[in-house]
Amino acid sequence: MTSRVRSAAIGLLSAAAALAAGHLAAALGDPRTSPPVAVGGAVIDLAPSWLKDFAVAVFGQADKLALIIGMLLVIAALAVVAGLLSQRRWWPGALVIAAFGIAGIVAAAARPDGGIAPALVSLVIGVGAFALLWFAGRGGGEETSLPPASDGWARRRFLVTSGLVLAGSGVAAAGGSALSRVSGVAASRSGVAERLPRLSRPAIPAGADFAASGTPRFLTSNRDFYRIDTALVVPRLRAEDWRLRLHGMVDRELDLSFDELLARRAQSRTITLTCVSNPVGGDLISTADFAGVPVRDLLLEAGIRAGAQQLLTRSSDGYTAGTPLDVLLEPDRGALLAFEMNGEPLPPEHGFPVRMVVPGLYGYVSATKWLVSGEVTTFDRQHYWEQRGWARYAPIKTQSRIDRPRPNSSVPAGAVTVAGIAWAQHTGIRAVEVSVDDGPWQAAELATDVSRDTWRMWRARLDLPPGDHRVRCRAIDRTGTPQTAATQGTVPDGATGLHAVPFRCV
Ligand SMILES: Nc1nc2c(c(=O)[nH]1)N[C@H]1C(S)=C(S)[C@@H](COP(=O)(O)O)O[C@H]1N2
Ligand SMILES: [Mo]
């Protein structure tokens, strides 16, 4: 290997290390701050419009790719120059690399996204790798120049160091790409936040919960909202890439981008979601404001053909749910293709960018997350959980739960407050009753009603002597039907039975 080739390699390898390190650093924060992306962004911002038009005309939709490739070629050429400048001394080339890093920092600082940390990391790693490689290739005893290629020991040391720098760069670049696919979703979410329609969220009346007595807050925060899905890794979809295909037994197929969905009439609704796997007394139930486009509008827009029975929705990871069309087409059902949850874009875990929510149906037949298509079809087609033995139809069953006192806890004898939740989505709760130690059912106090699609909080004040007790509760829906006391497990269509809590008064 001639000294020239080695010098050029030092320049190229240190540039690669600088870019890979910057890429990884950017992926930890905002991928848009990766130095070539930031510099490219600055170039796009600064380019006169005739140049942009020219680039688009020549490269079409690959114009950004062409820009990145062009920049990488320029960087590679300058890196070779840097290496060649350092055939005798290490610092002239290092200075070129440093100048490059400073240009990256200036470009990053000028960007609206503004993070300069990745460019700083590039500068430090670039100069560091340059020095490391240069001194690794230097022969023993020589202070200021590269050794002749005949120096075998220095050559081996140089080759090993080069290999390590190259491997490290590869790992950093690959890791950065994997990470930015993740945080690409974060960037997409923050971009979406600004574009969501400004809908007023339904007002939650004062007194809608008895949180002070031990019930949950009426609205569940996105962080606390229960999460159930089959996804081992949260699917990472960007709103920019998202499309929804509505097809099957329709008159006109729809193929919508995220912006096209946003352009339609949207509404905001408070909905209590429940999982069919929620056991009696379980916590797979939460309430949030969801905003999105009514599913009914889109179905009517597509036009449903005679004989169609269900909408088979599919997520990007292949999961499916089948929802009866007669439910989705009810004028006041309020089923949504939701893009917003509690005023924010959907969190990735809850289906970003778009999911379905249907008041009154268990999640597994209605609440497809990471939604990518809906097929209007007959019931001949089985959905994911139906294939695994769960019911095709799954309206949420009227249920109630005791949150206070906690099971097997001790509370002071005398006045004891029992509190909890009750739900009968899309029918509503008329009353809740409690019974202590198998005594008569007595009415609980209900919190302010919010809607028939949401849970209702309740509490009851009891006067209890010291000793062991057991309290049970039951909900009565707005048609006057009490929840069944018959015990059933969650399979195939949801658990039933009364929640009972043993506790001790002391
Ligand atoms: N893509 C996808 N969507 C899905 C599921 C799933 O496994 N994959 N699970 C469903 C089930 S069983 C429920 S109860 C709800 C839960 O929604 P959440 O995680 O936002 O609470 O999502 C539904 N949507
Ligand atoms: Mo579920």
Side-chain angles (χ1 to χ4, degrees), residues 239-257:
E240 294 85 335
D241 309 324
W242 181 85
R243 295 201 78 86
L244 173 76
R245 213 175 134 231
L246 195 58
H247 63 114
M249 298 169 71
V250 295
D251 297 328
R252 294 162 291 278
E253 269 196 20
L254 297 185
D255 183 5
L256 302 178
S257 69

Side-chain angles (χ1 to χ4, degrees), residues 226 228 274-277 363-364:
Y226 85 89
I228 289 289
T274 310
C275 184
V276 71
S277 301
Y364 83 106

Side-chain angles (χ1 to χ4, degrees), residues 286-306:
S286 301
T287 300
D289 287 339
F290 290 96
V293 175
V295 178
R296 182 172 189 270
D297 289 3
L298 295 167
L299 289 174
L300 294 181
E301 187 177 335
I304 305 298
R305 294 244 179 97

Side-chain angles (χ1 to χ4, degrees), residues 41 76 233 264 270-271 358 464 485:
V233 178
R264 282 163 169 73
T270 310
I271 297 171
V358 183
L464 298 176

Side-chain angles (χ1 to χ4, degrees), residues 97-113:
I97 301 279
F100 226 84
I102 288 166
I105 291 172
V106 169
R111 300 284 305 148
D113 12 335

